[in-house]
Amino acid sequence: MTLSTYLPAAPRRAVCPACLRAQSACICRWIVPLASRVELLVLQHPLEVRNAKNSARLLHLSLAGSRLEVGETFSAKALDALLHADGRTPLLLYPETPGDASLGIAPPPLLPSESFLHPERLRLVVLDATWRKSRKMLYLNPALQCLPRLALQDAPPSAYRIRKAHAPHQLSSFEAAVHALAQLEENPLYYRPLLAAFDGFVQQQAACIQQVTSHLNPE
Ligand SMILES: [Zn+2]
């Protein structure tokens, strides 16, 4: 019998059940409980789930009534139920993409202007994925192509300093969704605490990365 037989199995890293991160990297202190009038539905690409930069889950944990579903291709029936639950009108947070026609994607319908008068009848649908993967999700799920699209107006530069290749005008899913909610509800002040919490989250992630880097390259 070897010595290793007597050694206890390595303890599994304790994981926070809410944010699904290691307890040592838990981000739950950045949760700001808030109720939105527009309901939020996040469709998260599977590659984002374990990404340390994943901020969509933090938003989901903050916003009462929000939903977060993970997948690349969704069954038509399940997606339809998610999009139209409670009779809300779904709209997709996605820019105009002129290349769509070449992919066989028809132009999205216009949003009836009266729907903006009733935020509690709207559902904001956010694709949490890299740009490439979000294009794929749009292509693979025809129901998403049929949604009216919402583009952000006057979005400020991103606080996201984690992604090196992130251009200043590209917002994280968290920031984009919050700005869209504020825009639809015409209430930016209400959502400010969420953006402040996001800043804290970004700083925590940056400190984490710095720690790992200095550990790998000690002076
Ligand atoms: Zn946590």
PDB file of all heavy atoms in Angstrom, residues 16 19 26-28, ligand 1:
ATOM      1  N   CYS A  16     -19.339  29.440  -4.437  1.00  0.00           N
ATOM      2  CA  CYS A  16     -20.501  30.211  -3.992  1.00  0.00           C
ATOM      3  C   CYS A  16     -21.711  29.775  -4.819  1.00  0.00           C
ATOM      4  O   CYS A  16     -21.664  29.802  -6.049  1.00  0.00           O
ATOM      5  CB  CYS A  16     -20.231  31.701  -4.177  1.00  0.00           C
ATOM      6  SG  CYS A  16     -21.726  32.693  -3.935  1.00  0.00           S
ATOM      7  N   CYS A  19     -23.156  33.090  -7.196  1.00  0.00           N
ATOM      8  CA  CYS A  19     -22.427  33.584  -8.367  1.00  0.00           C
ATOM      9  C   CYS A  19     -21.628  32.487  -9.063  1.00  0.00           C
ATOM     10  O   CYS A  19     -21.039  32.734 -10.118  1.00  0.00           O
ATOM     11  CB  CYS A  19     -21.530  34.761  -8.002  1.00  0.00           C
ATOM     12  SG  CYS A  19     -20.166  34.356  -6.904  1.00  0.00           S
ATOM     13  N   CYS A  26     -15.682  35.313  -4.878  1.00  0.00           N
ATOM     14  CA  CYS A  26     -17.130  35.609  -4.886  1.00  0.00           C
ATOM     15  C   CYS A  26     -17.376  37.089  -5.205  1.00  0.00           C
ATOM     16  O   CYS A  26     -16.680  37.972  -4.717  1.00  0.00           O
ATOM     17  CB  CYS A  26     -17.708  35.251  -3.520  1.00  0.00           C
ATOM     18  SG  CYS A  26     -19.407  35.781  -3.297  1.00  0.00           S
ATOM     19  N   ILE A  27     -18.360  37.335  -6.051  1.00  0.00           N
ATOM     20  CA  ILE A  27     -18.658  38.721  -6.455  1.00  0.00           C
ATOM     21  C   ILE A  27     -20.001  39.194  -5.905  1.00  0.00           C
ATOM     22  O   ILE A  27     -20.514  40.242  -6.308  1.00  0.00           O
ATOM     23  CB  ILE A  27     -18.657  38.870  -7.990  1.00  0.00           C
ATOM     24  CG1 ILE A  27     -19.639  37.871  -8.618  1.00  0.00           C
ATOM     25  CG2 ILE A  27     -17.258  38.678  -8.566  1.00  0.00           C
ATOM     26  CD1 ILE A  27     -19.941  38.142 -10.083  1.00  0.00           C
ATOM     27  N   CYS A  28     -20.553  38.423  -4.962  1.00  0.00           N
ATOM     28  CA  CYS A  28     -21.918  38.715  -4.495  1.00  0.00           C
ATOM     29  C   CYS A  28     -22.039  40.045  -3.760  1.00  0.00           C
ATOM     30  O   CYS A  28     -23.140  40.588  -3.630  1.00  0.00           O
ATOM     31  CB  CYS A  28     -22.440  37.568  -3.637  1.00  0.00           C
ATOM     32  SG  CYS A  28     -22.776  36.098  -4.615  1.00  0.00           S
TER      33      CYS A  28
HETATM   34 ZN    ZN B   1     -20.991  34.704  -4.723  1.00  0.00          ZN
END
